Amino acid sequence: MIFLLSLILNAIQIYTYVLIASVLMSWIPSIKESSIGQMISRVTDPYLDLFRRFIPPIGMIDISPIVAIITLSLASNGIIVLFNMLY
């Protein structure tokens, strides 16, 4: 069971890094249009779109990735708490 917990937490951490890469790539449009940039966008945009529906950009700044990363962190902590309660 610890293996499953570790696997889930590692997947959340990797996805967080991919979200950060997506944010950094948005600053340089030529990278975002590359094949790697398009692949990362296909992976991250559905999740970020959930937050973009409710959180409008502030001027030119999109804060939805910050909320998305905080949500992933809270989910990770929640999974740890649930695991500790069960075992």
Side-chain angles (χ1 to χ4, degrees), residues 11-84:
I12 290 173
Q13 187 174 21
I14 290 169
Y15 194 73
T16 301
Y17 292 145
V18 172
L19 283 171
I20 292 169
S22 175
V23 169
L24 293 175
M25 286 188 330
S26 70
W27 296 346
I28 305 169
S30 62
I31 295 175
K32 188 107 172 157
E33 295 170 1
S34 69
S35 61
I36 293 174
Q38 290 175 356
M39 180 189 69
I40 289 176
S41 292
R42 281 194 304 264
V43 171
T44 60
D45 282 350
Y47 180 64
L48 290 174
D49 287 344
L50 294 171
F51 297 97
R52 287 179 180 145
R53 278 190 253 161
F54 302 107
I55 304 169
I58 299 173
M60 298 275 304
I61 300 173
D62 182 15
I63 62 168
S64 61
I66 297 169
V67 177
I69 290 171
I70 291 171
T71 302
L72 281 177
S73 176
L74 291 174
S76 177
N77 291 336
I79 290 169
I80 293 170
V81 168
L82 285 175
F83 180 80
N84 287 334

